[in-house]
């Protein structure tokens, strides 16, 4: 019997058109439970004829899954997070999951709100790049509510059982500084957001709660010590996370009575500001200044000389986080040890440190 509807077709309308119960129609459309193939085809045909669209909320109440995951990052405009997000979606989309994205601007309160709202929306799990690695109470609440959490780019105090995917920032920075030392540099500076944490990282503290910039500063210190070079606080230039601040930071280093001959920048934004400052001062690289940055952004190969960089496995970082979250969702409540994956970056030497 042909059924006509006014407005959006409901599950009841589909069931009536197919001549089955509402429960049977729900099982056929949702792909769960026992339904004969003939009945399923009849229900699907009725749904197509009526233009039925499933109610995701109602389906989630039956299946316990919304087929969504949350991703919370500090700066979606940063190419690092954009590339990581591509890795996440390339893994989770084929598995049938859609991504809800939140940008916190590095503000803890915004992150807390995002995680809370996503938990209330019954996402199946969240991937979080924490605004403050020392603050994890809101992540703990999400996990206690049954929402799996995977940390990306940085670990967080208070949630050691949350899976994590990070880069070995200690090794990455140490390799960069070691490269400069091998080239004969003895006064090696660093531009970092973590300049005020120099005393902390020199203690050898390896616990959680450090930003990647602070861990890279720790790698800088360890590489200087390994090369037999002094750790000079005046060569550690603090900068905010913006190009103008990095521009000013390099100029401060170069205005020292004994300026550095080489400088490491601990992220891509700082590197771009420092590179422009070197250009504006008319410095020749690498003969007058050697410069190293993080992340292989397009501009680093377009400038002359090309910028030597620490290439992070950013896409793989996101892809691994996506796989870990899917594994955690699939495991459900089954006991499972937390997985802490650490990926290696690699140094790509270009003209800013090596004459070519």
């Amino acid at each position: 019997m042909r059924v006509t509807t006014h407005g959006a077709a409901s599950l009841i309308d589909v069931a009536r058109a197919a001549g089955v119960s509402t429960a049977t129609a729900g099982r056929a459309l949702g792909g769960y439970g026992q339904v004969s193939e003939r009945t399923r085809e009849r229900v699907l045909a009725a749904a197509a004829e009526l233009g039925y669209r499933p109610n995701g909320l109602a389906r989630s109440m039956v299946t316990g899954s919304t087929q969504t995951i949350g991703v919370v990052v500090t700066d979606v405009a940063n190419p690092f997070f954009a590339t990581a997000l591509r890795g996440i979606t390339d893994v989770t989309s084929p598995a049938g999951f859609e991504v809800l994205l939140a940008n916190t601007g590095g503000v803890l309160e915004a992150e807390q709100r995002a995680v809370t709202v996503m938990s209330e929306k019954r996402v199946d799990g969240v991937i979080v790049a924490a605004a403050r690695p020392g603050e994890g109470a809101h992540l703990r609440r999400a996990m206690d509510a049954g929402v799996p959490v995977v940390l990306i780019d940085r670990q967080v105090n208070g949630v050691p059982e949350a899976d994590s995917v990070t880069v070995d920032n200690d090794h990455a920075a140490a390799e960069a500084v070691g490269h400069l030392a091998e080239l004969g540099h003895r006064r090696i500076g660093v531009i970092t957001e973590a300049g005020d944490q120099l005393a902390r990282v020199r203690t050898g503290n390896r616990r959680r709660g450090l930003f990647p910039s602070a861990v890279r500063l720790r790698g800088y210190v360890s590489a200087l010590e390994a090369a037999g070079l002094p750790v000079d606080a005046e060569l550690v230039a603090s900068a905010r996370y913006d190009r103008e601040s990095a521009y000013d930071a390099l100029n401060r280093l170069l205005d020292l009575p004994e300026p550095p001959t080489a400088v490491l920048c601990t992220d891509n934004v700082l590197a771009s500001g420092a590179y422009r400052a070197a250009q504006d001062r008319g410095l020749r690289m690498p003969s007058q200044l050697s410069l190293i940055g993080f992340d292989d952004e397009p501009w680093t190969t377009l400038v002359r000389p090309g910028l030597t960089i620490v290439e992070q496995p950013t896409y793989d970082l996101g892809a691994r986080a996506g796989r870990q979250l899917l594994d955690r969702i699939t495991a459900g409540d089954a006991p499972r040890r937390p997985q802490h994956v650490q990926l290696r970056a690699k140094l790509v030497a270009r003209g800013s440190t090596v004459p070519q």
Side-chain angles (χ1 to χ4, degrees), residues 71-209:
V71 177
V72 183
V73 299
T74 57
D75 183 9
V76 71
N78 187 329
F80 174 86
F81 288 116
T83 302
L85 180 62
R86 177 63 183 270
I88 292 170
T89 57
D90 281 357
V91 168
T92 58
S93 291
F97 287 84
E98 297 298 327
V99 170
L100 304 180
L101 177 64
N103 182 71
T104 67
V107 177
L108 176 62
E109 292 74 15
E111 178 185 307
Q112 292 169 332
R113 287 195 302 272
V115 172
T116 298
V117 168
M118 288 178 176
S119 297
E120 292 173 350
K121 295 290 186 182
R122 304 294 295 274
V123 295
D124 294 302
V126 292
I127 296 173
V128 180
R132 293 187 194 170
E135 302 286 343
H138 57 299
L139 302 176
R140 160 62 55 201
R141 287 192 293 272
M143 295 179 69
D144 289 344
V147 180
V149 173
V150 174
L151 303 172
I152 189 171
D153 190 42
R154 57 203 71 172
Q155 294 182 327
V156 177
N157 285 340
V159 285
E161 64 274 45
D163 293 339
S164 66
V165 186
T166 59
V167 172
D168 188 346
N169 286 297
D170 266 308
H171 179 270
E175 184 179 18
V177 174
H179 168 68
L180 296 172
E182 289 174 0
L183 292 173
H185 294 283
R186 292 297 174 261
R187 285 186 64 76
I188 302 172
V190 62
I191 299 176
T192 173
E193 296 172 78
D196 60 346
Q197 298 187 53
L198 178 60
R200 182 184 181 188
V201 302
R202 291 190 70 177
T203 65
N205 189 339
R206 303 190 67 83
R207 65 185 176 87
R208 295 164 179 260

Side-chain angles (χ1 to χ4, degrees), residues 14-54:
V14 174
R16 186 179 297 121
V20 300
S21 69
T22 303
T24 298
R27 289 195 296 273
L29 293 169
Y32 61 91
Q34 297 296 318
V35 180
S36 71
E37 189 59 32
R38 182 177 179 181
T39 299
R40 189 185 309 279
E41 290 175 357
R42 195 163 71 246
V43 171
L44 293 176
E49 182 179 354
L50 295 174
Y52 170 76
R53 292 186 176 183

